[in-house]
Amino acid sequence: MTSKPFHLMIKPVGAACNLACAYCYYLAKAAYYPGSSFRMGDATLERVVAAYMQSNPAAEVIFGWQGGEPLLAGLDFFRRALELQAKHARPGQRAVNTVQTNGVLINDEWASFFAEHHFLVGISIDGPPELHDHYRRDRRGRPTYDRVVAGLETLRAHKVEHNALVAVNRANAEHPLKVYRHLTGLGLAHLQFIPIVERESSHARKATPWSVLPAAFGRLLCEVFDYWSKHDVGRVFVQIFESTLAVWMGGSASVCVFAPICGSAMAVEHTGDLYACDHFVYPEHLRGEITPGTLEAVVDGPDQRAFGQMKSALSEYCRQCPVLRFCWGDCPKHRGPASEGKSVSYLCRAYRKFFTHSARVLEAMAHEVRAGRPAANVMEILRLGDG
């Protein structure tokens, strides 16, 4: 058993996907497995489940099923995963399942299964049709928005717990409130805004044409925050706002990219190969094939500790930053090639703007919550103070 809880992001079909989103960083990982069927076999599945549950000291072990498109693994695969979770759970331990999907394959059978077994389902949706379909198209180049919304409505009909993951890119970042109001208008009450930051190669400085521009991302966060804080506090939950509020309340960020160190969330490919992180699925970060013994050794081992500490290699500019405690330099992936050393995040400008812009409201919210009063009181209190 490891010295601390950890998290696995499991890829049952690897990079296989029924879509061909222009900005997807993971499709290229298929090149690491030439000739593969891109399906996790039963023996590998049992090895992964057993290792994860036996090595993890947590009473609640969260299985994060991702891809590619994890639903391509089929319902029988997930039924078998549940059987193995029950088989390998320690006394008092339980498995919790989450799945991140593009939503296209969701039908009544899938939704019924998710509801019965209490899956949390994340749907990838980037805004209204013209913004969602700008990059998110299938392998025949067809738009996907209508199929995604149909899947979302099916989940809702079956009362499946769900949230939305919004990939913030070069196109939709220019329309903050159009995106936010559209998604909340669909009834989505839990949102994650994930910035697309990809470089033209692993050694290049230049960002891809679909990567979000830092200034645009900063504006999006601020405009959405202003609208949310006036209209939707307590009704809509935005991950970065919740994470920042947690820090104002004296706690820790709930988003891994804003933690002082990382390394406790790893990725497992369909073959059972274990990688240091989902954003670092590269040969140099391969930790070997997963087994109960090797998983414990990796989580507590020197390579993974060094990987996690890499995040703390901050530039002097970061160390002097007044909002450092909210982002801790962002994800190392966003800092550019390793040869740049202690570099600044590509998104530094965006985060510095947002954390500064939101400070007055979130600090007041933290004060209200600590006093046992609703955070939604804050905007009225601030308006009276301004008067």
Side-chain angles (χ1 to χ4, degrees):
M1 194 179 301
T2 61
S3 60
K4 60 182 181 180
F6 62 96
H7 180 67
L8 292 184
M9 186 178 293
I10 305 169
K11 314 265 188 178
V13 298
C17 193
N18 52 336
L19 302 191
C21 303
Y23 55 59
C24 183
Y25 71 94
Y26 212 82
L27 292 177
K29 307 302 180 184
Y32 297 156
Y33 300 97
S36 174
S37 66
F38 292 97
R39 294 294 186 275
M40 183 177 284
D42 189 73
T44 301
L45 174 61
E46 180 155 20
R47 194 156 39 89
V48 170
V49 171
Y52 192 20
M53 301 203 76
Q54 292 171 12
S55 301
N56 200 322
E60 184 177 273
V61 179
I62 300 173
F63 283 75
W65 304 100
Q66 299 214 6
E69 175 47 53
L71 270 57
L72 290 173
L75 266 170
D76 286 343
F77 173 89
F78 285 97
R79 291 188 181 106
R80 177 62 174 157
L82 295 179
E83 292 175 0
L84 293 171
Q85 289 168 357
K87 175 181 176 180
H88 292 288
R90 301 191 311 273
Q93 188 183 50
R94 74 184 189 101
V96 175
N97 289 279
T98 71
V99 62
Q100 183 65 42
T101 173
N102 58 47
V104 170
L105 298 176
I106 294 174
N107 55 23
D108 286 321
E109 189 177 16
W110 274 110
S112 177
F113 172 81
F114 291 145
E116 180 183 357
H117 298 289
H118 309 291
F119 273 61
L120 170 61
V121 179
I123 292 282
S124 295
I125 181 169
D126 291 352
E130 67 277 14
L131 296 176
H132 175 89
D133 291 331
H134 190 88
Y135 292 120
R136 296 191 67 82
R137 292 181 171 264
D138 66 18
R139 292 192 168 274
R140 294 171 60 184
R142 299 174 302 181
T144 61
Y145 175 86
D146 289 342
R147 285 175 279 171
V148 174
V149 171
L152 178 61
E153 291 172 349
T154 303
L155 290 178
R156 188 168 291 127
H158 286 265
K159 296 181 171 55
V160 177
E161 186 178 359
H162 58 278
N163 60 32
L165 187 154
V166 185
V168 183
N169 53 65
R170 191 72 57 94
N172 64 0
E174 299 297 332
H175 307 277
L177 294 186
K178 186 175 185 178
V179 170
Y180 177 80
R181 288 172 179 160
H182 183 81
L183 297 179
T184 55
L186 290 174
L188 290 162
H190 293 81
L191 307 176
Q192 300 177 57
F193 290 103
I194 306 298
I196 295 295
V197 179
E198 297 298 324
R199 300 180 191 272
E200 292 187 341
S201 74
S202 59
H203 301 293
R205 285 176 175 267
K206 187 176 180 181
T208 58
W210 45 81
S211 293
V212 65
L213 295 174
F217 188 50
R219 285 195 303 272
L220 178 140
L221 292 177
C222 291
E223 289 187 26
V224 171
F225 178 81
D226 288 346
Y227 185 90
W228 169 85
S229 62
K230 292 180 175 70
H231 303 285
D232 289 337
V233 174
R235 188 180 72 85
V236 176
F237 301 88
V238 180
Q239 186 187 51
I240 187 172
F241 303 164
E242 301 292 318
S243 178
T244 310
L245 178 60
V247 177
W248 274 112
M249 293 187 65
S252 302
S254 59
V255 184
C256 71
V257 298
F258 297 149
I261 61 171
C262 55
S264 61
M266 290 161 284
V268 182
E269 259 289 348
H270 66 292
T271 58
D273 284 350
L274 181 67
Y275 289 88
C277 171
D278 178 57
H279 285 151
F280 288 85
V281 176
Y282 299 109
E284 60 267 33
H285 294 292
L286 175 62
R287 300 295 189 240
E289 289 192 8
I290 190 171
T291 67
T294 60
L295 185 55
E296 292 180 22
V298 167
V299 173
D300 288 335
D303 288 345
Q304 197 64 11
R305 283 201 304 271
F307 175 84
Q309 291 293 338
M310 174 176 63
K311 193 175 190 302
S312 64
L314 299 173
S315 66
E316 187 60 26
Y317 180 81
C318 284
R319 293 187 182 281
Q320 298 298 322
C321 180
V323 297
L324 174 63
R325 65 187 174 122
F326 297 103
C327 78
W328 292 103
D330 192 21
C331 179
K333 177 195 175 188
H334 294 164
R335 297 180 193 171
S339 60
E340 295 177 15
K342 296 179 179 179
S343 55
V344 174
S345 168
Y346 172 85
L347 295 171
C348 174
R349 178 180 175 185
Y351 287 134
R352 188 161 182 155
K353 179 180 178 68
F354 167 69
F355 292 130
T356 302
H357 178 84
S358 63
R360 179 169 174 255
V361 171
L362 290 180
E363 184 179 23
M365 283 186 180
H367 176 78
E368 291 298 291
V369 172
R370 284 195 297 268
R373 295 186 291 268
N377 290 346
V378 166
M379 293 313 295
E380 183 61 27
I381 291 169
L382 291 178
R383 278 193 293 270
L384 291 172
D386 289 340

